[in-house]
Amino acid sequence: VQLQAFGGGLVQAGGSLRLSCALSGFPLGYYAVGWFRQAPGKEREGVSCIGNSGRSTTYSDSVKGRFTISRDSAKNTVYLQMNNLKPEDTAVYYCAADERTGRSSKYFCDNGMYYWGKGTQVTVSS
């Protein structure tokens, strides 16, 4: 089970980025996938999570209305479209996955997931 996040970079406030999380070693449909972030000196935050069916999504209040999570089962990839970025969105973003059933996407965003990939840096300048 491997996850690889990419697509981070430097962007001005108000700009957009799309992060991608490529999953290998397991079919996407069996796993809930989430995006988490951690800024220096701050706790990890569950940004957005999507359930294994793809129908259940959760967003943190800080990104609701600006970020969109989606998945492409054919490519075994989960995306995070980030619009209207703000300096406070600056952080290392991680994607994670979990195969446990019977838990909501909100549960995973609040509590974390089992498998983690390396992060990708997102920097938003003011």
Side-chain angles (χ1 to χ4, degrees):
V1 175
Q2 291 186 326
L3 302 97
Q4 178 67 49
F6 53 95
L10 173 64
V11 64
Q12 289 188 330
S16 297
L17 281 174
R18 187 176 78 159
L19 303 183
S20 300
C21 177
L23 288 72
S24 60
F26 54 95
L28 179 58
Y30 287 95
Y31 288 79
V33 178
W35 287 97
F36 298 78
R37 69 186 180 187
Q38 189 161 23
K42 295 189 176 181
E43 291 187 356
R44 186 187 69 198
E45 177 188 13
V47 175
S48 182
C49 297
I50 186 165
N52 60 355
S53 68
R55 293 191 295 268
S56 170
T57 58
T58 294
Y59 297 92
S60 67
D61 288 342
S62 60
V63 306
K64 201 170 294 182
R66 301 187 296 122
F67 290 12
T68 303
I69 192 170
S70 62
R71 66 181 210 173
D72 185 333
S73 296
K75 296 182 178 180
N76 234 37
T77 299
V78 175
Y79 304 99
L80 184 69
Q81 178 66 44
M82 306 186 295
N83 297 329
N84 190 21
L85 283 160
K86 303 176 180 180
E88 51 263 42
D89 294 318
T90 295
V92 178
Y93 284 71
Y94 301 88
C95 65
D98 201 298
E99 62 188 327
R100 288 175 290 173
T101 59
R103 290 167 173 82
S104 66
S105 57
K106 184 180 187 307
Y107 171 88
F108 288 121
C109 262
D110 289 344
N111 295 282
M113 294 182 165
Y114 189 77
Y115 300 102
W116 292 84
K118 293 183 179 179
T120 184
Q121 176 72 46
V122 172
T123 303
V124 184
S125 63
S126 57

PDB file of all heavy atoms in Angstrom, residues 5 8 20 32 34 52 59 64-65 81 87 94-95 100 108 114 122:
ATOM      1  N   ALA A   5       1.557  11.860  -2.861  1.00  0.00           N
ATOM      2  CA  ALA A   5       0.894  13.140  -3.069  1.00  0.00           C
ATOM      3  C   ALA A   5       1.803  14.056  -3.858  1.00  0.00           C
ATOM      4  O   ALA A   5       3.013  14.093  -3.621  1.00  0.00           O
ATOM      5  CB  ALA A   5       0.562  13.778  -1.728  1.00  0.00           C
ATOM      6  N   GLY A   8       1.815  20.254  -5.065  1.00  0.00           N
ATOM      7  CA  GLY A   8       1.995  21.437  -4.249  1.00  0.00           C
ATOM      8  C   GLY A   8       2.876  22.450  -4.946  1.00  0.00           C
ATOM      9  O   GLY A   8       3.436  22.195  -6.011  1.00  0.00           O
ATOM     10  N   SER A  20      -2.853  15.964  -6.152  1.00  0.00           N
ATOM     11  CA  SER A  20      -3.218  14.609  -6.574  1.00  0.00           C
ATOM     12  C   SER A  20      -2.613  13.606  -5.597  1.00  0.00           C
ATOM     13  O   SER A  20      -1.501  13.811  -5.100  1.00  0.00           O
ATOM     14  CB  SER A  20      -2.694  14.318  -7.980  1.00  0.00           C
ATOM     15  OG  SER A  20      -3.224  15.219  -8.921  1.00  0.00           O
ATOM     16  N   ALA A  32     -11.358   4.547   2.129  1.00  0.00           N
ATOM     17  CA  ALA A  32     -11.612   5.967   2.330  1.00  0.00           C
ATOM     18  C   ALA A  32     -10.268   6.682   2.189  1.00  0.00           C
ATOM     19  O   ALA A  32      -9.225   6.140   2.556  1.00  0.00           O
ATOM     20  CB  ALA A  32     -12.196   6.228   3.710  1.00  0.00           C
ATOM     21  N   GLY A  34      -8.233  10.591   2.526  1.00  0.00           N
ATOM     22  CA  GLY A  34      -8.354  11.938   3.070  1.00  0.00           C
ATOM     23  C   GLY A  34      -7.127  12.783   2.808  1.00  0.00           C
ATOM     24  O   GLY A  34      -6.043  12.271   2.537  1.00  0.00           O
ATOM     25  N   ASN A  52     -15.219   5.371   1.002  1.00  0.00           N
ATOM     26  CA  ASN A  52     -14.810   4.389  -0.002  1.00  0.00           C
ATOM     27  C   ASN A  52     -15.812   4.280  -1.152  1.00  0.00           C
ATOM     28  O   ASN A  52     -15.452   3.878  -2.256  1.00  0.00           O
ATOM     29  CB  ASN A  52     -14.566   3.027   0.639  1.00  0.00           C
ATOM     30  CG  ASN A  52     -15.793   2.472   1.331  1.00  0.00           C
ATOM     31  OD1 ASN A  52     -16.823   3.142   1.415  1.00  0.00           O
ATOM     32  ND2 ASN A  52     -15.688   1.257   1.829  1.00  0.00           N
ATOM     33  N   TYR A  59     -15.552  18.238   4.797  1.00  0.00           N
ATOM     34  CA  TYR A  59     -14.604  19.344   4.683  1.00  0.00           C
ATOM     35  C   TYR A  59     -14.482  20.032   6.029  1.00  0.00           C
ATOM     36  O   TYR A  59     -15.464  20.170   6.760  1.00  0.00           O
ATOM     37  CB  TYR A  59     -15.075  20.367   3.653  1.00  0.00           C
ATOM     38  CG  TYR A  59     -15.168  19.822   2.250  1.00  0.00           C
ATOM     39  CD1 TYR A  59     -16.350  19.276   1.763  1.00  0.00           C
ATOM     40  CD2 TYR A  59     -14.055  19.839   1.414  1.00  0.00           C
ATOM     41  CE1 TYR A  59     -16.430  18.767   0.481  1.00  0.00           C
ATOM     42  CE2 TYR A  59     -14.123  19.335   0.119  1.00  0.00           C
ATOM     43  CZ  TYR A  59     -15.322  18.789  -0.333  1.00  0.00           C
ATOM     44  OH  TYR A  59     -15.386  18.279  -1.603  1.00  0.00           O
ATOM     45  N   LYS A  64     -14.224  24.844   3.629  1.00  0.00           N
ATOM     46  CA  LYS A  64     -15.530  24.585   3.027  1.00  0.00           C
ATOM     47  C   LYS A  64     -15.883  25.699   2.041  1.00  0.00           C
ATOM     48  O   LYS A  64     -15.761  26.887   2.347  1.00  0.00           O
ATOM     49  CB  LYS A  64     -16.588  24.480   4.128  1.00  0.00           C
ATOM     50  CG  LYS A  64     -17.839  23.737   3.724  1.00  0.00           C
ATOM     51  CD  LYS A  64     -18.707  23.473   4.951  1.00  0.00           C
ATOM     52  CE  LYS A  64     -18.063  22.524   5.925  1.00  0.00           C
ATOM     53  NZ  LYS A  64     -18.913  22.214   7.098  1.00  0.00           N
ATOM     54  N   GLY A  65     -16.319  25.308   0.860  1.00  0.00           N
ATOM     55  CA  GLY A  65     -16.673  26.269  -0.177  1.00  0.00           C
ATOM     56  C   GLY A  65     -15.508  26.676  -1.065  1.00  0.00           C
ATOM     57  O   GLY A  65     -15.714  27.312  -2.104  1.00  0.00           O
ATOM     58  N   GLN A  81      -8.956  19.896  -5.230  1.00  0.00           N
ATOM     59  CA  GLN A  81      -8.937  21.168  -5.933  1.00  0.00           C
ATOM     60  C   GLN A  81      -9.051  22.285  -4.912  1.00  0.00           C
ATOM     61  O   GLN A  81     -10.014  22.337  -4.148  1.00  0.00           O
ATOM     62  CB  GLN A  81     -10.090  21.255  -6.934  1.00  0.00           C
ATOM     63  CG  GLN A  81     -10.179  22.564  -7.683  1.00  0.00           C
ATOM     64  CD  GLN A  81      -8.998  22.793  -8.620  1.00  0.00           C
ATOM     65  OE1 GLN A  81      -8.582  21.874  -9.328  1.00  0.00           O
ATOM     66  NE2 GLN A  81      -8.461  24.000  -8.619  1.00  0.00           N
ATOM     67  N   PRO A  87      -3.216  32.761   2.694  1.00  0.00           N
ATOM     68  CA  PRO A  87      -1.926  32.489   3.350  1.00  0.00           C
ATOM     69  C   PRO A  87      -2.039  31.445   4.468  1.00  0.00           C
ATOM     70  O   PRO A  87      -1.101  30.665   4.681  1.00  0.00           O
ATOM     71  CB  PRO A  87      -1.521  33.864   3.885  1.00  0.00           C
ATOM     72  CG  PRO A  87      -2.144  34.816   2.922  1.00  0.00           C
ATOM     73  CD  PRO A  87      -3.471  34.200   2.559  1.00  0.00           C
ATOM     74  N   TYR A  94      -0.812  16.131   3.295  1.00  0.00           N
ATOM     75  CA  TYR A  94      -0.625  14.695   3.227  1.00  0.00           C
ATOM     76  C   TYR A  94      -1.919  14.027   2.757  1.00  0.00           C
ATOM     77  O   TYR A  94      -3.010  14.460   3.128  1.00  0.00           O
ATOM     78  CB  TYR A  94      -0.284  14.130   4.602  1.00  0.00           C
ATOM     79  CG  TYR A  94       0.960  14.698   5.224  1.00  0.00           C
ATOM     80  CD1 TYR A  94       0.913  15.855   5.998  1.00  0.00           C
ATOM     81  CD2 TYR A  94       2.190  14.062   5.067  1.00  0.00           C
ATOM     82  CE1 TYR A  94       2.056  16.370   6.585  1.00  0.00           C
ATOM     83  CE2 TYR A  94       3.338  14.567   5.651  1.00  0.00           C
ATOM     84  CZ  TYR A  94       3.259  15.724   6.404  1.00  0.00           C
ATOM     85  OH  TYR A  94       4.398  16.227   6.973  1.00  0.00           O
ATOM     86  N   CYS A  95      -1.766  12.969   1.987  1.00  0.00           N
ATOM     87  CA  CYS A  95      -2.942  12.144   1.725  1.00  0.00           C
ATOM     88  C   CYS A  95      -2.801  10.852   2.523  1.00  0.00           C
ATOM     89  O   CYS A  95      -1.688  10.395   2.826  1.00  0.00           O
ATOM     90  CB  CYS A  95      -3.149  11.873   0.244  1.00  0.00           C
ATOM     91  SG  CYS A  95      -1.887  10.904  -0.579  1.00  0.00           S
ATOM     92  N   ARG A 100     -10.914   0.527   6.898  1.00  0.00           N
ATOM     93  CA  ARG A 100     -11.925   0.152   7.880  1.00  0.00           C
ATOM     94  C   ARG A 100     -13.311   0.571   7.389  1.00  0.00           C
ATOM     95  O   ARG A 100     -13.498   1.664   6.874  1.00  0.00           O
ATOM     96  CB  ARG A 100     -11.627   0.808   9.220  1.00  0.00           C
ATOM     97  CG  ARG A 100     -10.423   0.214   9.930  1.00  0.00           C
ATOM     98  CD  ARG A 100     -10.112   0.982  11.203  1.00  0.00           C
ATOM     99  NE  ARG A 100      -9.596   2.301  10.930  1.00  0.00           N
ATOM    100  CZ  ARG A 100      -9.379   3.214  11.861  1.00  0.00           C
ATOM    101  NH1 ARG A 100      -9.667   2.955  13.129  1.00  0.00           N
ATOM    102  NH2 ARG A 100      -8.884   4.407  11.533  1.00  0.00           N
ATOM    103  N   PHE A 108     -12.976   9.819   9.867  1.00  0.00           N
ATOM    104  CA  PHE A 108     -11.580   9.724   9.429  1.00  0.00           C
ATOM    105  C   PHE A 108     -10.897  11.093   9.442  1.00  0.00           C
ATOM    106  O   PHE A 108      -9.730  11.203   9.812  1.00  0.00           O
ATOM    107  CB  PHE A 108     -11.502   9.104   8.038  1.00  0.00           C
ATOM    108  CG  PHE A 108     -11.795   7.632   8.014  1.00  0.00           C
ATOM    109  CD1 PHE A 108     -12.833   7.123   7.256  1.00  0.00           C
ATOM    110  CD2 PHE A 108     -11.030   6.757   8.766  1.00  0.00           C
ATOM    111  CE1 PHE A 108     -13.105   5.762   7.237  1.00  0.00           C
ATOM    112  CE2 PHE A 108     -11.291   5.386   8.753  1.00  0.00           C
ATOM    113  CZ  PHE A 108     -12.330   4.903   7.989  1.00  0.00           C
ATOM    114  N   TYR A 114      -5.092   5.103   8.495  1.00  0.00           N
ATOM    115  CA  TYR A 114      -4.051   4.120   8.802  1.00  0.00           C
ATOM    116  C   TYR A 114      -2.811   4.256   7.914  1.00  0.00           C
ATOM    117  O   TYR A 114      -1.685   4.160   8.382  1.00  0.00           O
ATOM    118  CB  TYR A 114      -4.631   2.716   8.662  1.00  0.00           C
ATOM    119  CG  TYR A 114      -3.706   1.636   9.154  1.00  0.00           C
ATOM    120  CD1 TYR A 114      -3.554   1.404  10.518  1.00  0.00           C
ATOM    121  CD2 TYR A 114      -2.986   0.847   8.254  1.00  0.00           C
ATOM    122  CE1 TYR A 114      -2.695   0.421  10.976  1.00  0.00           C
ATOM    123  CE2 TYR A 114      -2.125  -0.135   8.704  1.00  0.00           C
ATOM    124  CZ  TYR A 114      -1.990  -0.354  10.072  1.00  0.00           C
ATOM    125  OH  TYR A 114      -1.132  -1.322  10.508  1.00  0.00           O
ATOM    126  N   VAL A 122       2.537  23.226   0.291  1.00  0.00           N
ATOM    127  CA  VAL A 122       1.734  24.284  -0.327  1.00  0.00           C
ATOM    128  C   VAL A 122       2.058  25.587   0.386  1.00  0.00           C
ATOM    129  O   VAL A 122       1.937  25.670   1.613  1.00  0.00           O
ATOM    130  CB  VAL A 122       0.231  23.976  -0.234  1.00  0.00           C
ATOM    131  CG1 VAL A 122      -0.599  25.173  -0.696  1.00  0.00           C
ATOM    132  CG2 VAL A 122      -0.112  22.745  -1.054  1.00  0.00           C
TER     133      VAL A 122
END
